[in-house]
Every structure is written in C-alpha cells, then in structure tokens.
Amino acid sequence: MTDNAHFTPPLPGFETIKRFWDKRRGIIIAKILPGEFYVSKSDEAISTVLGSCISACIWDEVNQVGGMNHFLLPIQKTQGKTWGDPASYTTRYGNWAMEYLVNEVIKHGATRNNMKAKVFGGGKIINAMTTDVGNGNVEFVLEYLKLENIPIIAQDTGGPWPRKVMFDPLTGRAQVKKLRSMHNDTVQRRERQYANDVVQHETESNIELF
C-alpha cells in the first residue's frame, strides 16, 4: 500500500496545510506553522513547534472533531491600551485567532457543551525582548477560554524552552516534548518573522470579528 492510499482529504478550507504520512506512528500528521490553524474529523494528528507562540487545542470527543491553532499576539504599542481593552489591536487579533478555530470546530459538528481545551506554549525564548510576549499570550488565551466557558483540561506553558506538540483532534490526547537541548535559532527566526508580519498587518488592515 502506498503512502497516498492513507490520505483522506482535509476538510474544506484546509487544503493548504502541509500533511504527511508518518511511517513510524502509522498516521497522517498535519503540521501547522505560526499564524495557521487546522481542524479535522479524521484519524490524524496535528503537530507544531512553539516558542513564544501559543496553541489552543479544542475538541469535542462526543462528536469526534477538533483543531489546533498557533498564534502570537502583537506587542501592544498604543499607550494606555492593553490586550484586555476592546479597542486594542492585540485584543482584536487574539479574538480573531481564537474565534476562527472555535467557529470551524463548531461548523464541523462540535457542540459548545462538549468542547474542551488544552493550552501549550508561551515560552520566553527570545531573550532580547524586554516584554514577556509568551506570558501575555498565555494570559490572553486562558482569559478567552474562561469567558467562552470552554473548560481547560490541561496546560503546559511558560519556561525558557520551545515545545513540540502532537494533538489528536478526535480524542483530545496531546503529547508535549520540551526541546531543552535544541538550538532555538530556527524557532526564534520563525517567530520574529511572524511577529513582524503581524505588526505589518496591523498597519495595513482592520480585522472585523463575526
């Protein structure tokens, strides 16, 4: 049987997410990068590597659907406004990142009463930053899930290391590996570029929630 024989198509809208067949685990893995998210109803895993970024894993085990995002809040530069201020870009961006995931999980069969969450990431791996971006990401996502009444079953956040996360969207099972011995250059470069893109997006567009 060829690897292609294992591939069920992704849900509509997620065709651009990189997926591959992991021979060792015998499963399809969807790999998401900063700024991406993925939702699935299939027997596959979702994986990402996190530094300062945060991932919320949300799933409905009863209806067998779940997803994961990977995002970083932009540093709020406007004096007197924080992520908790509805007028701040940081709040609007964070809500946008979370609402897309929640709405897609619901769209594909989840019910709010069954939804649960796990939270990962938010490390402080970019030492040059005076602002603890990771901690801000953690605070935001925990508050968001609290306000949405989505119970947090587990979390692994903070610390000075990146994490590799593997998530089963049907059962909610998650595996986390702290990459203590890994050189952080690749993760740092990726997150710096992503942070720059987010700031650029802030100056060029106006996100509207739905």
Side-chain angles (χ1 to χ4, degrees):
M1 181 179 288
T2 65
D3 290 353
N4 289 336
H6 297 286
F7 271 74
T8 55
L11 293 173
F14 297 99
E15 295 86 356
T16 60
I17 299 297
K18 181 181 178 182
R19 301 163 77 227
F20 63 94
W21 176 252
D22 187 311
K23 292 182 179 179
R24 183 170 67 85
R25 295 182 176 88
I27 194 170
I28 297 168
I29 297 178
K31 183 177 181 180
I32 60 172
L33 298 172
E36 296 180 340
F37 76 104
Y38 187 78
V39 173
S40 178
K41 299 182 70 173
S42 300
D43 184 15
E44 59 183 335
I46 310 171
S47 177
T48 198
V49 175
L50 301 162
S52 302
C53 289
I54 202 83
S55 275
C57 302
I58 296 177
W59 80 101
D60 176 346
E61 189 172 355
V62 175
N63 292 298
Q64 298 278 280
V65 59
M68 175 198 282
N69 61 16
H70 180 153
F71 71 96
L72 177 76
L73 296 182
I75 298 172
Q76 183 52 250
K77 298 180 179 179
T78 306
Q79 187 175 4
K81 293 182 179 180
T82 67
W83 65 260
D85 186 335
S88 85
Y89 179 79
T90 304
T91 295
R92 290 184 290 121
Y93 182 85
N95 285 339
W96 174 81
M98 288 300 297
E99 287 195 14
Y100 260 106
L101 173 61
V102 171
N103 288 343
E104 283 294 317
V105 172
I106 292 173
K107 175 182 174 181
H108 291 288
T111 60
R112 280 193 171 269
N113 290 340
N114 295 329
M115 287 165 59
K116 299 175 183 177
K118 293 182 179 180
V119 176
F120 304 102
K124 189 174 183 180
I125 66 164
I126 304 178
N127 294 325
M129 283 191 175
T130 55
T131 303
D132 190 345
V133 178
N135 185 62
N137 290 327
V138 174
E139 288 182 356
F140 168 80
V141 76
L142 296 182
E143 182 67 15
Y144 179 94
L145 292 168
K146 178 182 178 181
L147 292 173
E148 291 294 316
N149 294 313
I150 300 175
I152 301 168
I153 304 304
Q155 72 178 83
D156 188 272
T157 57
W161 46 77
R163 293 167 170 84
K164 182 176 181 179
V165 181
M166 190 83 68
F167 173 64
D168 183 333
L170 304 188
T171 67
R173 183 172 182 264
Q175 296 174 292
V176 183
K177 182 178 181 181
K178 292 183 175 70
L179 307 176
R180 289 184 174 89
S181 61
M182 173 184 172
H183 292 293
N184 295 343
D185 292 352
T186 300
V187 179
Q188 288 187 21
R189 283 198 304 271
R190 184 182 295 163
E191 292 199 350
R192 282 196 185 98
Q193 181 59 53
Y194 174 46
N196 290 337
D197 290 345
V198 170
V199 171
Q200 182 67 25
H201 185 74
E202 175 182 2
T203 64
E204 293 179 351
S205 67
N206 181 30
I207 292 174
E208 295 183 3
L209 300 181
F210 50 90

